[in-house]
């Protein structure tokens, strides 16, 4: 008996019983598709840190008033 590992739910399943290869179920297939589209249409939230590494922002009142 050969098993495959579903990349969505990470469970091992029997490919012979799956109707949504290479996933264990149609549900996982949908999840994968959703992720795929999600990544494509939404901006990854990895840029939320922006420039917080500039330390305390000093007051910009240096006499240029
Ligand atoms: Zn699965």
């Amino acid at each position: 008996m050969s098993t495959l590992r579903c990349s969505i739910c990470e469970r091992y399943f029997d490919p012979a019983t799956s109707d949504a290869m290479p996933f264990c179920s149609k549900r996982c297939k949908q999840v994968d598709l959703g992720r795929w589209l999600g990544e494509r249409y939404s901006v990854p939230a990895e840029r939320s840190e922006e420039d917080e590494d500039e330390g305390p922002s000093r007051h910009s009142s240096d006499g240029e008033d």
Side-chain angles (χ1 to χ4, degrees):
M1 169 177 156
S2 63
T3 55
L4 280 180
R5 183 167 156 274
C6 177
S7 59
I8 299 301
C9 62
E10 299 190 344
R11 284 184 186 174
Y12 289 92
F13 66 97
D14 183 354
T17 66
S18 172
D19 55 356
M21 289 291 288
F23 306 101
C24 70
S25 67
K26 286 181 179 175
R27 186 166 157 271
C28 283
K29 192 173 185 177
Q30 281 298 117
V31 170
D32 182 73
L33 184 66
R35 281 186 187 176
W36 212 89
L37 296 176
E39 283 179 18
R40 187 168 169 171
Y41 291 115
S42 69
V43 181
E46 286 180 27
R47 295 180 57 195
S48 55
E49 290 188 34
E50 288 189 23
D51 39 16
E52 280 196 273
D53 57 326
E54 285 193 24
S57 59
R58 63 197 186 100
H59 294 236
S60 57
S61 50
D62 277 307
E64 287 230 290
D65 215 355

